[in-house]
Structure formats: C-alpha cells, structure tokens
Amino acid sequence: PSKLFFQDPSSNLIPGIYYETFVGDYDGISLTDLDFNAMVPAETGLSNSFDFNYRPDAANNFIIWSSGLIEIPQAGEWTFYLTSGSASLVYINGSGNPLIYNAGTGDQYGSNTIQLAAGLNEIEVVYYTNDGMTTLSLDYLSEGSPLQTVPATSLFVLPPIVNPGIYYEAHDISL
C-alpha cells in the first residue's frame, strides 16, 4: 500500500510519477513483504512515466518503487498489463493486495481487470532486478479505449507537504 500521504486532489498537481530506488540483494524476498516506509532510498526523483531507463551507479540489484496518481478518463472496467524483465507489481487505490504481481526472474508478464471511477486514482508500481536491467512497461485498455502504454499525461503527484515546524519560545522562569 502507498507510503505517500495524499492531499486533497484539488491541489495543484505536478505531472509525473514519484520514485525511490533501493540498492541491495532482495533475491528470495517477496516484493509484497517489503516495508518501503522502513527502508532508506539510495535515490529519489520524479519520472514522466513507468518506462524507467534507470540504473543506480554500479548496482545490479535494486528496486524501483514508484507512486502517484493516474487519471482515468472514463469510469468502467480497466485492464492493466504489466511487462517486466524481472519481478514487479502494481497496486491501485491503496489495496492491500497487488492488482498484478509478476514474481520471479526473467521476462515477466501479467494482467488483471479492475473497476475504476473516472478521475484520479492512486497507483503504485514496484520493480526489482538482480541483473542491472530495467525493463518495465505498464499498459491499459478499457471499452472504447485501445490498448496503450499509460501516457505520461495521465500521471501526477501532489506537491510536497511543507511542514512549517513547531514554533516555541523559551522563557526563564527561575525564581
């Protein structure tokens, strides 16, 4: 489930998808068992799509965790297709169970259908590789809409929440 705190979607949206990378050997660990809130990312950033062309410096084993909002143009059943060169998964709307989970190594392919409301929906995609390659593609289709890669124009993040801090004054109350 998402680790981002989503604000009111009427806020000013930023185009793209937020990502974090984690370097390490995660072989034999299910992606669903990882707690990204407790992990320290090697790098963070904003990408314009899920089609990552990224490799951390000198790292062959790494995870890319990405999260944001996907704009669905019409309510109805949407089928998502996830293709990856290794393990990957997709969550939609903070569900505790992945919509698609491609476990294992080598070329992976999975699909599943979900009922979605028109407008903004939460999305989270996780990808793991142990060979340094990033092959990841997320496509979708709905009735009246052709199969297509999720367009960059449909992906958004909310602006960061600025914590103004806590104001305090120190007073000497010694007698």
Side-chain angles (χ1 to χ4, degrees):
S2 177
K3 77 182 240 179
L4 291 182
F5 174 76
F6 288 102
Q7 302 169 333
D8 178 359
S10 64
S11 302
N12 294 330
L13 297 173
I14 298 170
I17 196 78
Y18 176 77
Y19 72 89
E20 295 180 352
T21 60
F22 303 91
V23 176
D25 185 359
Y26 299 99
D27 283 346
I29 300 172
S30 172
L31 292 179
T32 58
D33 291 339
L34 294 173
D35 179 3
F36 295 104
N37 290 314
M39 298 168 65
V40 177
E43 192 171 318
T44 63
L46 191 64
S47 177
N48 63 353
S49 73
F50 292 111
D51 191 14
F52 291 103
N53 183 14
Y54 173 80
R55 180 178 178 188
D57 292 337
N60 284 329
N61 298 329
F62 59 90
I63 290 175
I64 300 174
W65 172 86
S66 55
S67 182
L69 300 170
I70 182 171
E71 186 171 29
I72 299 297
Q74 64 190 31
E77 284 192 349
W78 285 82
T79 302
F80 286 81
Y81 300 87
L82 181 63
T83 305
S84 60
S86 202
S88 59
L89 59 80
V90 176
Y91 290 100
I92 302 282
N93 289 333
S95 168
N97 297 314
L99 177 67
I100 303 169
Y101 184 17
N102 295 336
T105 58
D107 291 338
Q108 301 287 314
Y109 172 83
S111 67
N112 204 350
T113 301
I114 187 172
Q115 185 77 27
L116 292 175
L120 298 173
N121 292 266
E122 293 178 42
I123 189 163
E124 182 178 348
V125 176
V126 181
Y127 174 75
Y128 170 65
T129 185
N130 60 1
D131 64 7
M133 304 301 291
T134 53
T135 304
L136 180 72
S137 177
L138 184 64
D139 303 312
Y140 66 3
L141 69 81
S142 183
E143 185 175 326
S145 174
L147 178 63
Q148 62 182 313
T149 299
V150 173
T153 55
S154 296
L155 299 173
F156 301 94
V157 295
L158 293 164
I161 298 171
V162 177
N163 181 351
I166 298 172
Y167 176 78
Y168 73 95
E169 290 182 18
H171 296 276
D172 184 358
I173 56 170
S174 59
L175 301 173

